[in-house]
Amino acid sequence: MVSCVEGKKKANIITIGMYMPISSDPRLVCIGVSPKRYSHDLIAGSGEFVVNIPSLDLEEEMVFCGTKSGRAIDKFVETGLTPIPAKKVNPPLIKECFGHLECKVVQTYTCGDHTLFVGKVMTASVDDDVLTEGNLDLTKARPIVQKNHVYYTVIGKKQKLRQARA
């Protein structure tokens, strides 16, 4: 789930399936967003975004944020998710997510019907309760990801959860 905001506009959340780390030094991540999406304009205009890493508990919120436009609604209000201030960028973190990557856009690429935003990770944070001996414990975190409107998680083994209707 990516949060974004531009200027005085309301913050938005978009569920994305196009996400990947692309460099360790410097720390860079890449997200793909269609220019048709409200979040595309916010990210392009502000040059910032936050990758919020959700757990399985947020499946319903992920589906909502991935199928509704933020142009007309406030997704934080509609989902009950809590925006909290970021340390290095303007878009808020999503409190209910266990991990956060605060990013500044360093490059953009038009790739067919999507824009790839390459973000430099300015700071990263993770909730202590999903760590074991300082490392992310996937069985505690229970991350959920979306790919082509299908939701996946890891709970001992890979499980296909559902396919959302866009």
Side-chain angles (χ1 to χ4, degrees), residues 8-161:
K8 300 283 186 198
K9 295 179 182 176
K10 69 181 177 302
N12 193 46
I13 306 166
I14 183 171
T15 300
I16 59 169
M18 294 182 196
Y19 159 81
M20 68 178 185
I22 57 171
S23 173
S24 298
D25 187 18
R27 290 187 301 166
L28 299 174
V29 297
C30 179
I31 61 171
V33 182
S34 169
K36 297 175 185 175
R37 305 291 180 217
Y38 176 62
S39 293
H40 182 280
D41 294 341
L42 297 179
I43 296 167
S46 70
E48 298 179 334
F49 61 90
V50 176
V51 176
N52 299 277
I53 306 164
S55 69
L56 179 58
D57 299 334
L58 296 179
E59 180 182 5
E60 294 298 323
E61 292 85 347
M62 282 184 71
V63 171
F64 184 90
C65 291
T67 57
K68 306 293 182 192
S69 174
R71 281 188 178 93
I73 62 170
D74 184 326
K75 292 182 188 179
F76 280 101
V77 171
E78 294 293 323
T79 60
L81 293 171
T82 310
I84 57 174
K87 293 177 181 160
K88 302 282 185 178
V89 297
N90 288 321
L93 310 181
I94 300 171
K95 180 180 179 182
E96 291 78 8
C97 290
F98 67 83
H100 310 94
L101 304 174
E102 299 179 30
C103 303
K104 289 194 180 273
V105 175
V106 294
Q107 290 179 306
T108 61
Y109 299 95
T110 300
C111 299
D113 62 355
H114 279 67
T115 300
L116 293 182
F117 293 101
V118 177
K120 181 176 182 183
V121 179
M122 306 309 291
T123 191
S125 58
V126 65
D127 293 348
D128 290 336
D129 62 343
V130 297
L131 301 176
T132 298
E133 297 179 7
N135 295 308
L136 180 63
D137 184 331
L138 293 177
T139 60
K140 289 180 180 178
R142 302 180 325 135
I144 182 171
V145 296
Q146 183 264 122
K147 185 69 179 166
N148 297 325
H149 305 290
V150 179
Y151 294 78
Y152 296 92
T153 191
V154 177
I155 305 175
K157 65 178 184 172
K158 182 176 157 182
Q159 294 182 343
K160 180 177 177 180
L161 298 175

